[in-house]
Amino acid sequence: MARYRFLILNGPNLGALGKRQPEIYGTSGMDALPPLIRKVLGDRADDIELEYYQSNSEGALIDRLEQAREQGVQGVALNAGAYTHTSLALADCLAWIGVPCVEVHLSNVLARSEPLRQKSYIGRHVIGVVAGFGMMSYALALQALVQHHEKE
Ligand code: DQA
């Protein structure tokens, strides 16, 4: 039986991964993730039961986070897309739900040309940030969530 129940939560425009600006976000979709998780975690990958949800809408992401709390989900790898840089509502949700969350970005948001991308509303409420490794960012975030639980 899996030891950890984790959620990958993707925000706006991340349903088009692989097609959307591949020069920035890469050519793979989320289906490329399982082998990367196995590469990073080895047999520990079997310890994780993974759920996935994507929405373009801010309220739906908040609803899904509240649901994760109620379901006892033990960690969230959250790529909030542009809401990272704009959403006080998402930040307010993360501030109270008590589910460990890693902020994820495919691109290195700190190295991008638009200054707005260097601001994160959610950063104060996450255990850490992984950015710039393409799809591998998600696998590293899951590894970080496992480590987070194992140091407790
Ligand atoms: C992103 C970076 C955000 O700035 C952008 O709005 C996205 C994707 C990333 O994964 O690199 O939609 O979160």
Side-chain angles (χ1 to χ4, degrees):
M1 213 183 85
R3 292 180 63 185
Y4 301 114
R5 188 173 175 190
F6 292 154
L7 168 69
I8 292 181
L9 187 58
N10 269 348
N13 302 302
L14 292 165
L17 274 184
K19 296 177 222 138
R20 172 193 179 200
Q21 295 176 286
E23 68 288 2
I24 299 175
Y25 299 115
T27 50
S28 327
M30 293 305 287
D31 52 346
L33 189 56
L36 296 179
I37 295 173
R38 180 74 47 188
K39 195 168 172 180
V40 169
L41 281 164
D43 291 343
R44 304 298 315 274
D46 298 326
D47 290 344
I48 299 175
E49 181 189 322
L50 203 53
E51 294 168 36
Y52 176 71
Y53 182 73
Q54 188 274 330
S55 177
N56 293 326
S57 120
E58 192 175 18
L61 295 170
I62 292 167
D63 288 346
R64 190 64 188 83
L65 284 168
E66 288 182 352
Q67 189 187 45
R69 173 184 181 273
E70 278 156 31
Q71 292 172 334
V73 166
Q74 291 145 294
V76 180
L78 171 62
N79 186 346
Y83 289 141
T84 306
H85 319 297
T86 63
S87 179
L88 182 58
L90 211 44
D92 280 353
C93 177
L94 293 172
W96 81 271
I97 57 169
V99 182
C101 183
V102 175
E103 178 180 331
V104 176
H105 301 286
L106 294 140
S107 63
N108 178 359
V109 280
L110 296 179
R112 293 192 50 187
S113 55
E114 307 98 319
L116 194 82
R117 291 192 203 275
Q118 285 150 31
K119 159 99 190 151
S120 170
Y121 275 74
I122 64 176
R124 283 193 59 197
H125 306 293
V126 296
I127 59 171
V129 182
V130 185
F133 301 99
M135 289 301 297
M136 188 55 107
S137 292
Y138 292 94
L140 294 170
L142 296 175
Q143 184 190 38
L145 286 169
V146 170
Q147 295 295 319
H148 173 78
H149 283 288
E150 299 197 344
K151 77 170 172 16
E152 277 172 359

